[in-house]
Amino acid sequence: MSKKNEIIAEIKNISKNFGVTVALNQVNMQIRRGEICGLIGENGSGKSTVMSILSGMQNATSGEMFYKGKIWKPSNALEAARNGIGIIVQEIGTIPTISVAENIFLGNYDRFRRYGMINRRQMYKAAQLVLEKLNIVGVDASATTDTYSIEQRKLIEIAKVMANNPEILIIDETSTAISETGRQVLYRLMHDMASQNKAVVFISHDLEELMEHCDALNILRDGCLIDHLEKENFVAEDIKEKMIGRKLTGNYYRVDMDGYDSEVVLRADCITTMEDLMCFNLELHKGEILGIGGLSSCGMHTLGKAMFGLTEVIDGQVVLTDGNVVIKNPKSAFQHNMGYISKNRDTESLEINASIGSNIQSTGFEKNKWFGPFISAKKEKKYAQLMVDTLAIKCTGILQPVKALSGGNKQKVVFGKWVGVDADILILDCPTRGVDIGIKSAMYQLIYDMKKKGKSIILISEELPELCGMSDRLIIMKNGKITGEFFRKDGYKNTDLIECMI
Amino acid sequence: MKKIISSSQNDRKVKLKFNDMLDIVKNQRMFSLFFPFAMLLLIIALFSILTKGSFCTAGVMKSIFNQSMIIGTLAIGMTFIFTTGDVDFSAGNVMGLAAAVGALVYQNGQNIVTTICVTIVMGILLMLCNYTLSVVLHIRSAMVAIIGLTLYASITQQIVGAGTLRIDYNLCRNLESGAFRYISFMLFFGLCLLVYYWTPIGRQLRFIGGNVECARQAGINITKARCIGFLLAGLGIGLAGVYQIIRTGSVSSSVGNGMGMDVMLATVLGGMSIFGGAKSNAYSGFTGALTICALNQGLLMVGVPSTVIQGVRGVIFLLLVVLNSERAATLPSRQQF
C-alpha cells in the first residue's frame, strides 16, 4: 500500500521553449501522496505549461520526469489519463453537442460495448453515479452538454476527470470559473483525494484559497521555480513578494472617500431582457464607480451587456441622459462615447491574431482620421504607441500579435482600446479576472484615475474585496433583482453583502 | 514575462527542433509579407533557366500579365469578402452572368460603351443580391455561393442558349490592345488599395474576419463595412466580365465555370488565409494570379503536357497550405489554410 508523503511524481530540470521564448527554465518539482500541492505565479510564469507537460498535453524541450519510480514520457493526454494523471484545464474541455455521459466517458466507451453496440442506458447510469459521488446536483447525464451553463460544464469536466480514477489530480485555475457552491464541490474533492493518499496539484490566482487548502506551495516566476514552502511557512505578504519579485508598494485599492456628481449620465428604465432581467432600473452618475456584485448567475453580466446594447432589450430602454439617446445596439453606444470590456477576454474583447497596435486602434478610427474618410498611418502608430507606453504593456512593439502576450498584458491592451478613445462611460465586466496581483493593482489605479477625470464606470465583478475596495456605490443582485445598495461613505460589512447575495 | 534566449546569458543553449525553427520563420511578420513575391520571382527565375532565357522576355511577361488579369481582377475584389472570413466561390459564375447580360445588350443593337456599363452594373447588382442573402438574411456564405453557382450558371445558359453571343471581333481586339484595359485595371486596383489600407473599411473587415464579436463590441458598423466590401467585389467582377468579353470576343454558356475556385487558389497562393483575419492583404489575389499564370506558362514552355500541369498545381497548393497553416502553441491541432 502506498504511504503518505511518498513521492509519486518528480519533475527534474524540465525546460520548455516555444520558438525563442523560454516558458520553463530548469524546473524541479516533487509531488507527494496525500498532499495538496499549490502552484502559484503571475500570468505567464509557466504554471500551466509545467502541468500540461506532466499530463502529456505537450512535450518538454529538455529534462526528465519520473512517475511512480519509473521514467515518465507520456506521448499524449490520453496515455497520461489512463495511467492516473488527470487534469482539469483552464479552458473549456467538454464537447457541447454530445450528452453529458458521453463527455464523461470520452475515449472510454469500450466498457459499455455489447455486441459492437454501445449500451447508452448503462452509460447514463454509470455517469449519473459519478456525478452523485461528487455531489454535483442538477445535472442529468443523458442531457446534451450545451444545455448547461459554463459553470456546470466545468463540473461535468471534473466528473470526466474523476471517472478515470486519477492518482494525481491537476486543477488548473478552475475555481475562477465556478461559483461558491461549485468551489465547495471542488475543495471537498481535493481533500478526499488527499485523504486517500492520492496527490492533488492546485493552480490558482487566489492566494487565500491556496493558503487555506494547500499543504505545500510552489512559487513560479518567469519560468523558474522560485521557492517551495510548507504549510507552516505560509505568509501572504512573503508569497506575493516572491511571486512578483519585488515588494508591493502603495495601496492596492483606493483609499479616498471622494463622492460623485448628482448628475445622472446613464439610466436603465425598467429594462427587460430575454434572460435574467425583469423591469430593472439603474442610474449611473457622473464620476461614479458603481460596483455591481452577486453570484455569477444573478444577471449582472446580462445587465452589463444590455447597458451597452449587446443584448436585446425587449421592454424598457437604456437612455443616455445627455440628449436623451436610447442605446439600442453597440454601434450607437460606441458613437456616444461608451465603452465595454467583456469578461471573456480572448473570445470577445480581443482579436488575438491581430497585432497589439491594430487592437488598440480598432476603436480609434475616428480619432486618427487624416481628412475625409482617410486614416493617417502616422497618427495611428503614435496613438497605439502612446497606449502601450502609458499602460506599460510588456511587449516587443505594437506589431507583436496579441496572442503572444500573457493574460494580464492582454487585458491591458483591452483597457488601451477604451483609454485611447477617452470613453466617458465604461462598463467593465470582471476586468481583473485571471490577472495577477501586479497588473491588478495597476488596473485599480487606472480605474481610479478615470473616475478622477470625471468618467463614469460600472464595475461588475464576482470578487467582493475588489467591489468594496473600488466602488462609490455598490449594488448587490440576486435572481435579476437588486437586493441591496451600499454606499462607500456609510461603510458596510462583508457579511451584509453576502446576505444579500444568497 | 517570458525571456528571449539571446537576451539572457545564463540560459542553457537549447537545440531547436526543425519544427520550432519552421515556426520561428513563419512567425516573422515579414515572412508572410514577402513570401508570395519571393515565390513569384523564384518561378520566373526557375523557368528562365529551364528555357534558357526565352521565358524571361517582354512578350512572355506581357502574355502572363494579360492572362492573369481576369482572375486577378476577380481576386482583388473578392479579397474584400474573403477578408471577413466568408468563403464565397461563386465569383466565376457571377462574372459569367454579368458578361452574358452585357453581350445580350450588345446583340440587341447597343453600342460597346453601354455593354461595358451594363456588365459592370450587373456585377455589382448580383453581388448586392449575394450580400442580401448572406448578411441581411444570415444565410451562410458558403451556402449562398452554392446557390449562386447553380442559379447564375443556369440563368447564363438560358440567356446564351446553344451557341455563343458574339461581339464584333475587331472592336474587341482594339479594346484589348488599347489602353482601356490597363487604365481601368489600374484605377480599380488603386481604388481597392486605397479603401483597404487608407480608410477604416479595410481594418474593420480584417477585424470582422478575425473576431466578429470583438468587432461588434468595438462599435464597428459591421453591415456597412461588409456592404462596401460586397460592392467593391461586384465592381471587380463586373470589370472582369468586361475583360472576359473583349478577350474572346464572344460569350459561351460555360463562361466563368470553375473560375471561382481559381480565384480562391490565387488568393491562397498570394499568401492570404482563405478564412480572412489579420493577415489578409488586398493585393494577395493579384500576386497569386500572376504566380498561377507564370507557372502555367512556364510549364507549357518546358513541354509539360497540360494534364500534368493540374497535378503540379495541386502539389504546390498543398505545399503552401502546409507553410501557411498555423499550429497552436500547446495543443496538437492544425488550422488549415
Side-chain angles (χ1 to χ4, degrees):
Chain A
M1 188 59 205
S2 48
K3 280 177 293 187
K4 191 171 160 67
N5 284 338
E6 182 194 347
I7 294 169
I8 181 166
E10 187 167 12
I11 292 164
K12 268 194 175 161
N13 294 331
I14 288 282
S15 294
K16 174 75 186 175
N17 303 5
F18 292 112
V20 290
T21 45
V22 178
L24 288 177
N25 187 9
Q26 306 266 352
V27 171
N28 289 298
M29 214 177 273
Q30 291 177 341
I31 296 161
R32 276 167 280 171
R33 286 185 182 279
E35 191 179 80
I36 300 173
C37 169
L39 202 52
I40 194 168
E42 285 189 293
N43 294 118
S45 59
K47 305 178 298 273
S48 302
T49 313
V50 68
M51 283 305 130
S52 62
I53 289 171
L54 180 66
S55 58
M57 284 155 69
Q58 51 185 332
N59 293 321
T61 312
S62 67
E64 52 188 1
M65 297 183 289
F66 298 91
Y67 177 56
K68 291 182 178 170
K70 288 196 197 96
I71 221 157
W72 174 237
K73 257 192 173 166
S75 51
N76 53 46
L78 204 61
E79 188 187 331
R82 292 208 171 123
N83 282 290
I85 298 183
I87 182 163
I88 302 167
V89 291
Q90 211 171 340
E91 299 85 16
I92 294 299
T94 49
I95 302 168
T97 48
I98 60 177
S99 75
V100 172
E102 280 167 313
N103 260 311
I104 289 176
F105 294 111
L106 198 67
N108 293 321
Y109 295 160
D110 280 347
R111 50 186 276 207
F112 304 108
R113 204 182 285 278
R114 284 276 151 75
Y115 316 115
M117 304 281 270
I118 286 175
N119 185 342
R120 274 171 196 277
R121 197 171 295 167
Q122 195 191 343
M123 183 155 89
Y124 293 153
K125 227 171 162 181
Q128 201 67 49
L129 209 68
V130 175
L131 290 167
E132 267 168 35
K133 241 181 167 170
L134 294 167
N135 274 329
I136 298 171
V137 286
V139 177
D140 178 10
S142 61
T144 317
T145 310
D146 60 7
T147 51
Y148 293 106
S149 69
I150 298 289
E151 183 184 339
Q152 279 165 316
R153 278 188 232 177
K154 210 72 213 176
L155 295 175
I156 293 167
E157 218 182 310
I158 296 174
K160 172 183 160 189
V161 174
M162 292 312 290
N164 278 322
N165 284 320
E167 299 211 39
I168 301 180
L169 174 66
I170 302 162
I171 301 162
D172 190 355
E173 278 184 48
T174 304
S175 50
T176 46
I178 53 184
S179 68
E180 198 53 40
T181 36
R183 282 185 203 200
Q184 292 309 330
V185 171
L186 196 64
Y187 297 149
R188 232 190 51 207
L189 174 68
M190 283 160 50
H191 289 288
D192 280 354
M193 291 275 297
S195 64
Q196 289 165 23
N197 265 346
K198 291 172 180 171
V200 178
V201 179
F202 187 37
I203 304 176
S204 173
H205 270 300
D206 189 342
L207 190 54
E208 284 161 33
E209 174 180 78
L210 283 169
M211 287 174 61
E212 191 184 334
H213 296 283
C214 296
D215 303 310
L217 202 53
N218 287 311
I219 303 167
L220 279 170
R221 187 173 77 224
D222 294 342
C224 299
L225 186 72
I226 297 297
D227 206 355
H228 174 85
L229 297 172
E230 297 295 332
K231 183 141 194 154
E232 57 269 21
N233 301 330
F234 285 1
V235 182
E237 287 310 308
D238 187 34
I239 296 171
K240 273 186 204 167
E241 205 181 306
K242 282 186 170 137
M243 257 172 72
I244 51 175
R246 64 185 156 81
K247 267 202 155 59
L248 270 179
T249 49
N251 286 298
Y252 202 44
Y253 302 116
R254 53 186 276 222
V255 285
D256 67 284
M257 289 307 246
D258 299 349
Y260 48 87
D261 277 21
S262 55
E263 182 196 338
V264 174
V265 287
L266 184 68
R267 195 174 70 228
D269 279 341
C270 191
I271 56 168
T272 302
T273 56
M274 289 297 277
E275 284 173 335
D276 297 333
L277 301 179
M278 186 82 163
C279 195
F280 193 92
N281 290 300
L282 190 74
E283 280 184 341
L284 178 69
H285 304 90
K286 191 174 159 58
E288 176 186 35
I289 301 178
L290 171 62
I292 299 178
L295 299 175
S296 65
S297 59
C298 72
M300 56 182 182
H301 303 303
T302 313
L303 175 65
K305 289 203 157 172
M307 297 297 274
F308 194 68
L310 285 162
T311 296
E312 196 195 352
V313 174
I314 46 181
D315 192 37
Q317 51 191 19
V318 178
V319 188
L320 273 171
T321 331
D322 185 24
N324 261 330
V325 186
V326 178
I327 303 296
K328 284 210 177 103
N329 50 38
K331 213 167 60 201
S332 61
F334 174 75
Q335 275 162 0
H336 293 95
N337 237 340
M338 286 174 69
Y340 174 79
I341 294 181
S342 164
K343 67 175 175 152
N344 303 319
R345 183 177 56 224
D346 285 11
T347 52
E348 291 179 13
S349 303
L350 290 169
E351 209 285 64
I352 55 167
N353 287 313
S355 67
I356 297 168
S358 41
N359 267 291
I360 293 175
Q361 289 151 3
S362 69
T363 50
F365 298 135
E366 282 306 315
K367 282 206 150 187
N368 295 318
K369 282 275 167 74
W370 179 29
F371 68 85
F374 301 108
I375 285 179
S376 156
K378 219 169 154 188
K379 260 193 194 171
E380 218 180 18
K381 201 175 151 195
K382 237 183 178 170
Y383 176 83
Q385 191 60 51
L386 182 73
M387 281 305 115
V388 169
D389 293 343
T390 41
L391 297 174
I393 298 170
K394 267 196 219 171
C395 61
T396 56
I398 57 168
L399 294 175
Q400 195 182 10
V402 167
K403 65 178 169 193
L405 299 179
S406 68
N409 277 303
K410 276 185 193 162
Q411 191 69 341
K412 278 189 177 177
V413 174
V414 180
F415 267 87
K417 276 169 55 173
W418 299 110
V419 175
V421 281
D422 207 21
D424 289 328
I425 297 172
L426 257 184
I427 299 162
L428 313 174
D429 196 348
C430 302
T432 60
R433 175 183 264 195
V435 164
D436 59 65
I437 304 169
I439 290 178
K440 247 185 188 177
S441 79
M443 286 186 174
Y444 293 140
Q445 186 59 45
L446 198 68
I447 293 172
Y448 180 58
D449 288 346
M450 288 195 268
K451 172 198 158 64
K452 277 266 171 212
K453 281 188 212 151
K455 316 279 183 207
S456 315
I457 292 152
I458 296 181
L459 176 66
I460 300 167
S461 175
E462 285 164 20
E463 291 179 45
L464 278 183
E466 169 175 295
L467 287 170
C468 299
M470 295 307 294
S471 359
D472 290 305
R473 185 158 63 102
L474 177 54
I475 283 174
I476 300 291
M477 285 173 66
K478 185 186 156 191
N479 296 334
K481 295 212 159 50
I482 295 177
T483 48
E485 190 175 13
F486 303 89
F487 293 89
R488 186 180 186 82
K489 56 180 182 352
D490 300 341
Y492 44 81
K493 284 191 297 240
N494 264 6
T495 45
D496 300 340
L497 304 179
I498 292 168
E499 210 160 276
C500 296
M501 283 163 70
I502 336 174
Chain B
M1 302 264 169
K2 289 171 187 174
K3 292 177 202 159
I4 307 294
I5 285 191
S6 55
S7 69
S8 53
Q9 299 289 327
N10 50 0
D11 268 324
R12 211 161 48 111
K13 274 267 175 212
V14 184
K15 213 168 157 249
L16 294 174
K17 284 188 197 148
F18 174 73
N19 264 337
D20 289 336
M21 293 197 335
L22 195 67
D23 277 352
I24 294 170
V25 175
K26 274 160 56 176
N27 285 335
Q28 292 288 321
R29 203 173 54 89
M30 289 301 157
F31 172 77
S32 57
L33 230 56
F34 286 117
F35 182 75
F37 295 104
M39 185 85 186
L40 180 58
L41 289 178
L42 193 78
I43 285 174
I44 292 174
L46 181 75
F47 284 117
S48 300
I49 296 164
L50 286 177
T51 58
K52 301 194 182 65
S54 61
F55 183 76
C56 202
T57 55
V60 176
M61 288 295 137
K62 198 179 160 204
S63 132
I64 289 173
F65 183 80
N66 283 340
Q67 283 171 37
S68 63
M69 222 150 146
I70 294 176
I71 296 288
T73 312
L74 282 174
I76 292 165
M78 289 305 284
T79 307
F80 285 89
I81 294 174
F82 294 148
T83 301
T84 60
D86 281 348
V87 183
D88 189 332
F89 42 82
S90 67
N93 290 86
V94 178
M95 184 206 79
L97 181 52
V101 173
L104 193 68
V105 167
Y106 183 81
Q107 295 253 309
N108 286 327
Q110 296 295 329
N111 66 4
I112 193 73
V113 179
T114 327
T115 306
I116 290 171
C117 292
V118 166
T119 309
I120 292 174
V121 170
M122 263 321 278
I124 294 173
L125 284 179
L126 287 170
M127 278 327 267
L128 274 181
C129 170
N130 275 11
Y131 165 80
T132 315
L133 290 174
S134 71
V135 181
V136 182
L137 298 178
H138 298 289
I139 302 172
R140 278 197 185 194
S141 57
M143 216 33 98
V144 173
I146 292 170
I147 296 165
L149 207 70
T150 46
L151 194 65
Y152 299 151
S154 129
I155 299 173
T156 309
Q157 275 168 7
Q158 289 299 318
I159 291 175
V160 178
T164 53
L165 297 174
R166 293 199 177 281
I167 284 105
D168 183 50
Y169 181 68
N170 282 328
L171 191 67
C172 289
R173 268 199 56 184
N174 284 340
L175 273 172
E176 197 185 6
S177 52
F180 162 74
R181 273 202 324 165
Y182 297 108
I183 290 175
S184 61
F185 175 75
M186 286 305 165
L187 281 176
F188 173 66
F189 196 20
L191 174 72
C192 286
L193 290 178
L194 199 67
V195 173
Y196 206 89
Y197 294 106
W198 279 278
T199 69
I201 300 297
R203 290 161 170 77
Q204 290 175 345
L205 288 173
R206 283 190 195 184
F207 240 79
I208 295 166
N211 188 343
V212 189
E213 187 53 32
C214 174
R216 201 163 85 94
Q217 295 192 359
I220 288 171
N221 192 340
I222 294 170
T223 44
K224 182 187 155 199
R226 292 181 69 178
C227 183
I228 292 174
F230 270 90
L231 282 177
L232 281 165
L235 181 60
I237 287 171
L239 215 50
V242 174
Y243 300 155
Q244 176 74 35
I245 293 174
I246 58 180
R247 193 176 136 208
T248 51
S250 67
V251 172
S252 74
S253 60
S254 66
V255 63
N257 278 353
M259 244 182 217
M261 283 299 171
D262 281 353
V263 168
M264 306 234 313
L265 181 65
T267 310
V268 176
L269 274 170
M272 176 177 150
S273 158
I274 213 69
F275 297 125
K279 279 186 187 163
S280 308
N281 275 310
Y283 53 78
S284 289
F286 187 53
T287 13
L290 281 174
T291 314
I292 294 184
C293 292
L295 191 70
N296 278 348
Q297 184 77 17
L299 288 171
L300 275 175
M301 282 174 75
V302 179
V304 176
S306 56
T307 41
V308 180
I309 291 178
Q310 284 285 354
V312 175
R313 267 166 49 168
V315 172
I316 289 177
F317 188 58
L318 183 69
L319 205 75
L320 277 167
V321 168
V322 172
L323 273 174
N324 260 330
S325 68
E326 282 192 9
R327 285 202 306 157
T330 50
L331 293 172
S333 65
R334 211 165 239 267
Q335 242 189 339
Q336 294 296 357
F337 294 89

